[in-house]
Amino acid sequence: MISLFLRSLAKTQSKNKLNNKNREFIFYNIAVLNSSGISILRCIEILQETTSDRKTKDILNNIQEEIKGGKTLSSAFSFQKDSNFYTNLLYIGEESGNLEKVLYKLSDYYKDKEKFKKEIIKTLTYPVVILIITLLVGIFVLFYLLPGMANILDTTSGDAAVSTKLILNYVLYIINNKFKILYEAIIALLFLFLLFCYMNNRFNISTSINRMAAFRLWQINLLKVLTILLEAGCSIQQSFNILIKNEKNILNKTYLEEVYESLAAGNLLSVALKKIKGLDSLIPIFISLGEESGRMEKYLSLCGNLIEKRYYEQLNKKMNWVQPLLLIFMGGIILIMVYTLFMPILGSMYEV
């Protein structure tokens, strides 16, 4: 009974978890309706009645019941997993009278976050599709096309080139030893995996690569979130206090705590950020410009957009190298097949 209850609870929590699209939809529509003079409770009721998405409807129904029970909008959202960031912002908006502005900023934030996610998936999709097609073509040729041609190749390979004979012998070996080859391939892959694990544990290869990519994305997100917090009326120290509470990565949280301590000691943000090792050199420069001009939010936003654009360009540049290599690999397989397999057959046909 207990295990069934826990599974049911986990399923309910997963079902009621807001994603970026849900958040963008809810925050934007509440902001639009509330700006027209409609109360928050009525905004939630209208959205709950008009939305067709079952998941969003259930979430809005929960929020509606919380508000009817006397809770504020920020408190009503607190039942959501990973909600500390936007509930803190909503609370600040409620206390400062800038709730509508905060809702619009949150909507834009989650819209950009979803767009960023889709751009990365879009960039990675084409190379993955090409790789899958290449593998499928290779499997089709190896296990379906070549076995059907084995007899033809056998009768025409008497005067064939050495390369054709080698291919023929290799194909026949594969046909007759499918399961053995599969077993050997699994053993080889397992050995390579264990070797990679050993090398990774010793030299931290994948950790370093993942850390660099994740840290770049974290910097972009940090700038965007900090912009929203400052525009919502938070001081820089309050903003970093909220960031610390919501940061899950231990190393990044340590960086933020060091920055917070430096700010508490009276240092400027551009100076305090030097505590973060590996930080993009543009960030302190733009923040320094913001401090001099008194327009911190503007320069944080500009810096975030610039670093994000550079990230896209570098990712696309790397993928632009991968795509031609996969196409060349695929073309090479086809060329080898034509030269070593089909040319002897065509030659024997012309002789006849």
Side-chain angles (χ1 to χ4, degrees):
M1 286 293 292
I2 295 174
S3 61
L4 288 173
F5 170 75
L6 291 174
R7 282 199 295 267
S8 176
L9 180 62
K11 185 177 180 181
T12 302
Q13 290 176 341
S14 176
K15 181 181 178 182
N16 289 333
K17 183 181 178 182
L18 284 167
N19 56 35
N20 293 333
K21 291 181 70 175
N22 296 140
R23 290 166 182 163
E24 189 259 327
F25 170 80
I26 291 172
F27 292 141
Y28 177 77
N29 283 280
I30 293 176
V32 171
L33 293 170
N34 188 241
S35 65
S36 303
I38 302 172
S39 68
I40 293 295
L41 178 59
R42 185 58 186 147
C43 291
I44 300 296
E45 289 174 346
I46 292 171
L47 290 178
Q48 202 269 341
E49 291 168 2
T50 56
T51 185
S52 58
D53 183 68
R54 185 74 248 175
K55 178 181 177 181
T56 306
K57 189 182 286 287
D58 291 339
I59 292 169
L60 288 169
N61 184 60
N62 290 336
I63 295 170
Q64 181 182 333
E65 293 300 320
E66 294 286 330
I67 294 175
K68 283 182 177 179
K71 291 187 176 181
T72 61
L73 184 64
S74 57
S75 299
F77 272 101
S78 62
F79 74 94
Q80 286 290 315
K81 188 178 180 181
D82 301 329
S83 64
N84 287 341
F85 165 62
Y86 57 84
T87 52
N88 281 326
L89 275 175
L90 291 172
Y91 175 77
I92 292 166
E94 290 166 343
E95 292 294 310
S96 63
N98 294 321
L99 181 60
E100 183 185 320
K101 183 179 180 180
V102 169
L103 286 167
Y104 276 120
K105 290 297 179 182
L106 283 170
S107 172
D108 292 338
Y109 170 73
Y110 286 112
K111 183 179 179 180
D112 291 341
K113 198 170 183 180
E114 184 67 17
K115 181 182 176 183
F116 186 69
K117 177 183 173 183
K118 287 181 178 179
E119 285 293 330
I120 293 177
I121 293 173
K122 182 181 176 182
T123 304
L124 297 175
T125 297
Y126 183 70
V128 172
V129 170
I130 293 295
L131 179 61
I132 291 172
I133 291 173
T134 304
L135 292 173
L136 290 175
V137 169
I139 291 170
F140 173 76
V141 169
L142 201 58
F143 292 101
Y144 293 94
L145 182 61
L146 292 182
M149 298 177 63
N151 293 330
I152 301 174
L153 289 169
D154 193 33
T155 57
T156 58
S157 62
D159 299 323
V162 175
S163 59
T164 302
K165 293 181 179 180
L166 288 173
I167 293 290
L168 174 60
N169 292 332
Y170 181 68
V171 169
L172 291 174
Y173 176 78
I174 291 176
I175 294 170
N176 297 324
N177 301 276
K178 290 180 182 178
F179 296 106
K180 181 183 177 182
I181 291 173
L182 181 63
Y183 173 76
E184 291 173 349
I186 292 172
I187 295 297
L189 289 172
L190 182 61
F191 172 76
L192 291 173
F193 175 75
L194 293 174
L195 179 63
F196 174 78
C197 289
Y198 170 76
M199 298 293 289
N200 183 50
N201 288 333
R202 185 161 185 174
F203 301 105
N204 292 322
I205 299 171
S206 64
T207 303
S208 300
I209 295 171
N210 292 334
R211 170 63 187 162
M212 288 172 62
F215 188 61
R216 194 70 179 275
L217 293 174
W218 178 76
Q219 292 180 68
I220 296 170
N221 191 62
L222 174 66
L223 292 170
K224 291 187 175 183
V225 173
L226 191 55
T227 303
I228 294 173
L229 289 167
L230 293 175
E231 289 179 341
C234 295
S235 67
I236 293 177
Q237 281 186 260
Q238 286 176 328
S239 299
F240 272 88
N241 190 32
I242 293 171
L243 289 169
I244 290 167
K245 290 179 181 178
N246 290 278
E247 182 58 55
K248 295 180 179 179
N249 184 283
I250 296 174
L251 183 58
N252 292 340
K253 189 169 186 175
T254 302
Y255 286 149
L256 293 175
E257 288 171 347
E258 290 176 353
V259 172
Y260 182 80
E261 290 172 3
S262 181
L263 289 169
N267 292 317
L268 293 172
L269 180 59
S270 56
V271 176
L273 283 173
K274 292 179 181 179
K275 298 286 184 180
I276 302 178
K277 297 178 182 178
L279 192 72
D280 194 294
S281 58
L282 283 175
I283 295 177
I285 294 172
F286 272 79
I287 288 178
S288 179
L289 291 171
E291 290 168 340
E292 293 171 4
S293 64
R295 295 184 293 176
M296 179 69 77
E297 297 91 335
K298 177 184 176 181
Y299 283 96
L300 281 171
S301 180
L302 285 172
C303 186
N305 291 334
L306 183 58
I307 294 175
E308 185 176 355
K309 183 180 178 182
R310 283 169 52 184
Y311 181 82
Y312 280 139
E313 290 173 351
Q314 290 176 1
L315 186 62
N316 284 321
K317 188 176 180 180
K318 291 176 182 177
M319 290 301 103
N320 288 337
W321 276 100
V322 173
Q323 293 169 13
L325 290 174
L326 290 173
L327 291 173
I328 290 170
F329 177 72
M330 192 180 212
I333 292 175
I334 296 171
L335 182 63
I336 291 170
M337 284 174 51
V338 170
Y339 178 76
T340 61
L341 301 177
F342 293 102
M343 290 302 291
I345 296 174
L346 291 175
S348 63
M349 289 173 64
Y350 285 123
E351 288 176 4
V352 175

